C-alpha cells in the first residue's frame, strides 16, 4: 500500500487557536496541575485529567527525550515501549542508550521519582514547607500490547529511514515501521484512542494511517489521528522540549478532530505558553516539519558553497557569514561552514520533498531541493581532497587522527555523519585512522563504517578507536577535527553567565532545600531517600518568597540543565604537537580552532572557508 498519495484534496478550514483554547478550558473545571508535585501520593480532589496515560512507540532520539519531558512536566503517565529489549534495559539503567545534555537527571527524576525537603524556618514558603513528592511517571517496557491497551493517546515515534530498495529507492521514506505500528494499534485497542504522528513522514501519511486504523478497528472503536511533528535539534533536545519555539498540532476539520487536538494541547499547555501551541490541518503539519528541515539544510549548504569561494579568494567564511547574519532578514543561525550536514533528518527530509515533488510532476522543484544534497556531498569530497593534497597527495601508511564521529556536538548520534564519509575515504587511500569521540560508542563506529561499504578486514587492519584524543593523535601525521566538541577547541571561551534563575540563587550547598532521588526498588509509598540514583548533587536551591511547591518544578528542571553542562577540559594542543610526526598538520573542519595559537606551536593549519597555506600546486589533486 502506498502510504502517501499524489492526489491532494482540500480539507477545509480548521478550528482556530482561539477555538481550541476554548475547548481546552471546557474539558474540566479544574485546571491541570502542571508541576507534578503534591504533598501526598494522591492527586488533589476534583483534579481533572484529560489524557491520563500516553504510550510512546519507539525509544530513540525522539521518543526517549520527548517522553521524559512530557512525563516530568505534566500530570500524565508515559510508558515508552520498544521491541528491542536491550534498548529498554538501557533506559531502565543508569547508562542511558543515548546522550543529550540534561537528559540523564530528567529521566532519573521522572522514572524513579524524587522527594524535596523544604526547611520552613528559613525558606519563606510558609504553609507549603515540608516534604514534596514526585511519584514516578515515566516507564519503559517491551510489552507493546499492554501499553497500547492502557493508553488514552499514543505517540508514534518509530524510525522512517530512506528506502533502500524498490520504487523510490534512495529518496522515498520507508514507512514500514509506521504501518506496522498502526496495525498493532488497530489490532490491540479495544477502546477509542488518539494516535499522534511524531515520526517525520511524507505529506498525507496521516490519511493512510486513518485508512488502516478504520479498516482494522474493533467494533465501536474510533481513532483520531493527529500530526504533532517534533522540531528537536540534537544536542539541545531537552532545552527544545522544555522551552519550544512552537508546538504544531494538525488534525482533521471535524468536531472529533478538534477535540483530539484540544486534548493534546491540554497536555502541552501544562508547561508551554498557549501562544506557542499552533493548530492547523493535518497536511500542513506534516509538510511543516519537512519544510523546516529543508530550509535549515539549505542555509548550511549555502554557507558551505561560499566557503569554497572563500578558500580561493582569500576571504574568511566566518567573517562573511557573520556579516550576513547581522542582517535581520537573514539572522545568524545555521550559517557555520563545516564538512557537510549530517543527522537523521536533513538528508531524509530533503529526499522526501524531492520524491514528493517528482510524484507531483514538479521536476524543477525536485531539482532545486536535490541541489542542496549535491552541495552537501561535494563539501565532504572537497574537504577530503584538500586533506590529501596537503599531505603530498599520499595517505598510504600515514596516521590520520579523527577527532569526533558524531554528526554534531552534544549528541551521540552518528547517522549520516560527515565523519563516516571522511573515514571511509581515508581508509580507501590506505591511511591508518585513529578515531576519538567522547560520546559515541565504539560498536556504533564499526557498524557505521561497515554499513557504508567498508570491508571489515580492511577496517580491522587500518582503524583504531581510541579512549582519548591524546592516544589518537600520538605519532599522527595529521589531525582532522570533524565534530565541534568544546574540548577540541583552543579558542578563548567567554565566561558562562552566572546563573540566577527567577527568584533563585544557585549555590553549591544550602541548608534550606534538599533534593534527593527515591531509590528505584523502593515500594510505591516509601518515603525513604537516597542520593545514589541521581548523578549530580542537587543541594543547590535557595529561594525567596516562593508561594507553592509548583515553583520548585521550574527550578528543578532548570537546575538539571545546569548540572549537566559539565565539559571536559580543553585539549592541551602543545602536548599533541609534541607527540606528532613532522610536519604537523591540523585540518579544522568546524572553525573551532585558533589558527595563530596553533601555528606558534608548529602546526600547519588548514581550515574550511579559509585560504590554504599549502603550496598552490599541491591543491590540484583529484
Amino acid at each position: 500500500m502506498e502510504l502517501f498519495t499524489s492526489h491532494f484534496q482540500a480539507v477545509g478550514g480548521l478550528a482556530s487557536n482561539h477555538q481550541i483554547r476554548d475547548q481546552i478550558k471546557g474539558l474540566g473545571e479544574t485546571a491541570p496541575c502542571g508541576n507534578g508535585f503534591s504533598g501526598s501520593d494522591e492527586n488533589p480532589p476534583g483534579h481533572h485529567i484529560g489524557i491520563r496515560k500516553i504510550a510512546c512507540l519507539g525509544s530513540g532520539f525522539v521518543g526517549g527525550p520527548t517522553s521524559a519531558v512530557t512525563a516530568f512536566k505534566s500530570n500524565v503517565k508515559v510508558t515508552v515501549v520498544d521491541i528491542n529489549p536491550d534498548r529498554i534495559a538501557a533506559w531502565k539503567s543508569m547508562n542511558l542508550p543515548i546522550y543529550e545534555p540534561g537528559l540523564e537527571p530528567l529521566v532519573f527524576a521522572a522514572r524513579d521519582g524524587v522527594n524535596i525537603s523544604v526547611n520552613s524556618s528559613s525558606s519563606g514558603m510558609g504553609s507549603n514547607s515540608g516534604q514534596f513528592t514526585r511519584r514516578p511517571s515515566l516507564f519503559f517496557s517491551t510489552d507493546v500490547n499492554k501499553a497500547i491497551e492502557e493508553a488514552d493517546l499514543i505517540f508514534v515515534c518509530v524510525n522512517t529511514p530512506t528506502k533502500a530498495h524498490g520504487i523510490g529507492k534512495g529518496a522515498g521514506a520507508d514507512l514500514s515501521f509506521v504501518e506496522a505500528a498502526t496495525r498493532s494499534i488497530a489490532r490491540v485497542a479495544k477502546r477509542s484512542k488518539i494516535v499522534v504522528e511524531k515520526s517525520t513522514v511524507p505529506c498525507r501519511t496521516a490519511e493512510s494511517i486513518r485508512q488502516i486504523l478504520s479498516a482494522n478497528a474493533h467494533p465501536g472503536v474510533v481513532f483520531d489521528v493527529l500530526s504533532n511533528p517534533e522540531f528537536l535539534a540534537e544536542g539541545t533536545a531537552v532545552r527544545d522540549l522544555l522551552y519550544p519555539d512552537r508546538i504544531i498540532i494538525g488534525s482533521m476539520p471535524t468536531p472529533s478532530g478538534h477535540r483530539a487536538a484540544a486534548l493534546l494541547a491540554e497536555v502541552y499547555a501544562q508547561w508551554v505558553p498557549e501562544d506557542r501551541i499552533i493548530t492547523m490541518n493535518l497536511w500542513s503539519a506534516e509538510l511543516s516539519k519537512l519544510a523546516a528541515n529543508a530550509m535549515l539544510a539549505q542555509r548550511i549548504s549555502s554557507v558551505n558553497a561560499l566557503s569554497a569561494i572563500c578558500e580561493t579568494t582569500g576571504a574568511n567564511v566566518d567573517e562573511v557569514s557573520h556579516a550576513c547574519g547581522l542582517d535581520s532578514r537573514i539572522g545568524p543561525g545555521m550559517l557555520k561552514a563545516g564538512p557537510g550536514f549530517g543527522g537523521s533528518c536533513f538528508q531524509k527530509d530533503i529526499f522526501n520533498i524531492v520524491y514528493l515533488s517528482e510524484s507531483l510532476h514538479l521536476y524543477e522543484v525536485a531539482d532545486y531541493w536535490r541541489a542542496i544534497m549535491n552541495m552537501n556531498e561535494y563539501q565532504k569530497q572537497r574537504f577530503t581532497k584538500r586533506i590529501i593534497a596537503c599531505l603530498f597527495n599520499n595517505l598510504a601508511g600515514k596516521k590520520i587522527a579523527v577527532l569526533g564521529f558524531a554528526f554534531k556536538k552534544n549528541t551521540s548520534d552518528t547517522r549520516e555523519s560527515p565523519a563516516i564519509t571522511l573515514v571511509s575515504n581515508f581508509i580507501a587511500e590506505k591511511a591508518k585512522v585513529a578515531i576519538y569521540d567522547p560520546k559515541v560508542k565504539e560498536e556504533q563506529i564499526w557498524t557505521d563504517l561497515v554499513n557504508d561499504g567498508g570491508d571489515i578486514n580492511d577496517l580491522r587492519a587500518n582503524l583504531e578507536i581510541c579512549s582519548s584524543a591524546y592516544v589518537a593523535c600520538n605519532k599522527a601525521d595529521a589531525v582532522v577535527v570533524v565534530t565541534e566538541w568544546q574540548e577540541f577547541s583552543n579558542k578563548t571561551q567567554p565566561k558562562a553567565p552566572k546563573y540566577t534563575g527567577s527568584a533563585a540563587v544557585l549555590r553549591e550547598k544550602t541548608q534550606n532545600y534538599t533534593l534527593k532521588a527515591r531509590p528505584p526498588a523502593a515500594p510505591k509509598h516509601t518515603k525513604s531517600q537516597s542520593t545514589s540514583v541521581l548523578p549530580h548533587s542537587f543541594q543547590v536551591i535557595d529561594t525567596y518568597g516562593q508561594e507553592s511547591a509548583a515553583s520548585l518544578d521550574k527550578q528543578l528542571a532548570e537546575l538539571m540543565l545546569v548540572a549537566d553542562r559539565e565539559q571536559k577540559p580543553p585539549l592541551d594542543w602543545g602536548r599533541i604537537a609534541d607527540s606528532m610526526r613532522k610536519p604537523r598538520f591540523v585540518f579544522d573542519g568546524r572553525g573551532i580552532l585558533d589558527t595563530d595559537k596553533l601555528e606558534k606551536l608548529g602546526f600547519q593549519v588548514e581550515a574550511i572557508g579559509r585560504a590554504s597555506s599549502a603550496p598552490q600546486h599541491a591543491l590540484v589533486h583529484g
Side-chain angles (χ1 to χ4, degrees):
M1 172 182 290
E2 280 290 330
L3 290 187
F4 72 90
T5 177
S6 62
H7 178 64
F8 282 72
Q9 297 175 344
V11 295
L14 187 66
S16 66
N17 289 342
H18 176 75
Q19 291 170 308
I20 292 290
R21 289 167 191 148
D22 286 344
Q23 291 195 42
I24 292 175
K25 294 175 182 177
L27 290 173
E29 295 182 359
T30 305
C33 175
N35 56 38
F37 287 96
S38 64
S40 69
D41 279 345
E42 301 298 328
N43 287 316
H47 180 70
H48 172 79
I49 302 178
I51 300 296
R52 295 173 181 271
K53 294 182 178 180
I54 291 176
C56 178
L57 309 188
S59 62
F61 281 91
V62 174
T66 298
S67 297
V69 171
T70 302
F72 182 80
K73 295 296 290 183
S74 74
N75 53 17
V76 178
K77 291 183 178 180
V78 183
T79 300
V80 183
V81 292
D82 202 300
I83 61 175
N84 184 336
D86 293 336
R87 197 169 186 84
I88 290 298
W91 279 110
K92 290 181 175 182
S93 74
M94 298 301 296
N95 298 305
L96 302 185
I98 64 174
Y99 171 74
E100 276 289 331
L103 181 61
E104 277 193 357
L106 198 68
V107 168
F108 297 152
R111 184 191 70 188
D112 304 325
V114 292
N115 294 326
I116 289 184
S117 299
V118 182
N119 186 337
S120 60
S121 62
S122 57
S123 67
M125 291 187 65
S127 60
N128 285 312
S129 302
Q131 183 75 35
F132 297 92
T133 301
R134 170 183 283 282
R135 293 173 295 163
S137 57
L138 177 65
F139 308 92
F140 297 93
S141 174
T142 56
D143 194 339
V144 178
N145 290 355
K146 181 181 178 182
I148 291 173
E149 205 171 304
E150 294 180 350
D152 305 306
L153 181 146
I154 301 168
F155 284 150
V156 178
C157 297
V158 298
N159 194 18
T160 55
T162 302
K163 290 185 71 173
H165 52 79
I167 298 175
K169 176 183 177 181
D174 180 353
L175 299 177
S176 57
F177 296 116
V178 173
E179 182 171 350
T182 302
R183 291 186 180 278
S184 294
I185 294 169
R187 175 176 50 82
V188 173
K190 302 299 191 296
R191 61 186 177 89
S192 299
K193 299 182 185 296
I194 300 172
V195 178
V196 182
E197 288 178 336
K198 288 201 76 71
S199 301
T200 303
V201 294
C203 194
R204 299 289 293 195
T205 300
E207 179 60 29
S208 298
I209 292 175
R210 290 177 67 243
Q211 290 178 12
I212 293 171
L213 291 172
S214 178
N216 295 277
H218 291 277
V221 175
V222 177
F223 296 100
D224 284 295
V225 178
L226 301 177
S227 176
N228 176 218
E230 50 81 18
F231 294 93
L232 308 181
E234 291 183 48
T236 60
V238 172
R239 185 189 68 191
D240 297 340
L241 286 161
L242 289 171
Y243 311 107
D245 292 332
R246 74 288 204 196
I247 297 293
I248 301 296
I249 302 175
S251 71
M252 291 297 292
T254 64
S256 179
H258 295 166
R259 177 170 175 80
L263 287 168
L264 179 56
E266 182 191 33
V267 174
Y268 284 118
Q270 294 176 63
W271 78 93
V272 179
E274 286 188 1
D275 61 356
R276 295 193 179 187
I277 302 174
I278 311 299
T279 58
M280 58 183 63
N281 74 48
L282 272 171
W283 328 132
S284 296
E286 289 177 333
L287 188 56
S288 66
K289 172 59 187 297
L290 299 178
N293 279 343
M295 289 183 178
L296 292 173
Q298 177 193 50
R299 289 172 69 93
I300 296 174
S301 281
S302 294
V303 75
N304 281 343
L306 290 171
S307 74
I309 298 175
C310 290
E311 291 170 22
T312 303
T313 61
N316 184 322
V317 73
D318 290 334
E319 294 174 347
V320 173
S321 62
H322 177 67
C324 293
L326 292 175
D327 189 322
S328 61
R329 298 167 300 175
I330 299 173
M334 309 297 279
L335 288 181
K336 185 70 174 177
F341 57 75
S344 65
C345 292
F346 284 3
Q347 175 173 303
K348 178 180 67 175
D349 292 353
I350 290 176
F351 281 147
N352 275 338
I353 292 180
V354 169
Y355 187 48
L356 177 63
S357 300
E358 289 179 340
S359 299
L360 299 171
H361 307 294
L362 302 173
Y363 300 112
E364 290 80 4
V365 174
D367 289 342
Y368 172 80
W369 292 108
R370 187 182 287 108
I372 294 171
M373 287 308 308
N374 293 341
M375 177 55 62
N376 197 54
E377 291 305 310
Y378 168 72
Q379 186 77 346
K380 298 176 194 177
Q381 301 304 328
R382 195 174 67 81
F383 191 41
T384 299
K385 290 179 180 180
R386 182 174 179 182
I387 293 169
I388 295 172
C390 289
L391 291 174
F392 317 110
N393 292 332
N394 174 38
L395 297 188
K398 294 179 180 177
K399 182 178 179 181
I400 309 297
V402 174
L403 299 187
F405 200 81
F407 83 91
K408 62 185 290 189
K409 69 177 182 179
N410 293 336
T411 182
S412 57
D413 195 353
T414 62
R415 288 175 289 183
E416 308 298 340
S417 173
I420 299 172
T421 300
L422 293 173
V423 171
S424 295
N425 289 343
F426 299 155
I427 295 293
E429 293 285 334
K430 305 303 180 182
K432 302 289 185 179
V433 180
I435 300 172
Y436 166 71
D437 189 287
K439 293 299 179 181
V440 177
K441 296 179 179 179
E442 180 174 342
E443 58 267 29
Q444 186 62 56
I445 296 176
W446 288 106
T447 299
D448 288 336
L449 293 173
V450 170
N451 290 342
D452 194 50
D455 179 84
I456 188 62
N457 293 322
D458 282 349
L459 291 172
R460 286 173 176 167
N462 297 296
L463 178 66
E464 177 186 7
I465 299 173
C466 303
S467 59
S468 75
Y470 299 111
V471 173
C473 296
N474 185 45
K475 297 182 179 179
D477 294 273
V479 177
V480 182
V481 178
V482 184
T483 309
E484 70 276 27
W485 288 104
Q486 192 61 56
E487 67 181 276
F488 300 157
S489 177
N490 70 333
K491 290 185 175 180
T492 303
Q493 299 298 319
K495 290 185 177 181
K498 191 174 182 180
Y499 179 85
T500 58
S502 55
V505 178
L506 187 64
R507 298 180 177 179
E508 293 184 1
K509 293 182 180 178
T510 176
Q511 66 269 22
N512 292 342
Y513 294 160
T514 302
L515 167 64
K516 297 181 179 179
R518 306 168 84 187
K524 181 177 180 181
H525 297 290
T526 296
K527 298 291 185 179
S528 63
Q529 300 177 10
S530 167
T531 58
S532 63
V533 176
L534 293 177
H536 303 284
S537 174
F538 287 127
Q539 289 92 338
V540 290
I541 304 177
D542 186 16
T543 62
Y544 305 92
Q546 301 291 354
E547 297 297 330
S548 70
S551 64
L552 296 181
D553 180 64
K554 182 174 184 291
Q555 293 178 25
L556 178 59
E558 292 172 341
L559 181 57
M560 286 175 173
L561 290 177
V562 173
D564 205 51
R565 285 176 186 157
E566 299 176 355
Q567 295 282 353
K568 290 186 177 182
L571 293 183
D572 181 348
W573 281 93
R575 176 181 170 184
I576 290 175
D578 291 340
S579 72
M580 289 179 63
R581 295 177 61 187
K582 297 180 181 179
R584 309 181 187 100
F585 287 90
V586 174
F587 297 91
D588 182 6
R590 294 290 185 171
I592 62 171
L593 299 178
D594 187 319
T595 300
D596 293 339
K597 289 181 180 179
L598 291 180
E599 288 179 343
K600 290 177 181 178
L601 293 173
F603 286 102
Q604 180 172 319
V605 183
E606 301 291 323
I608 278 184
R610 296 187 184 185
S612 174
S613 58
Q616 289 300 307
H617 67 271
L619 297 178
V620 183
H621 176 80

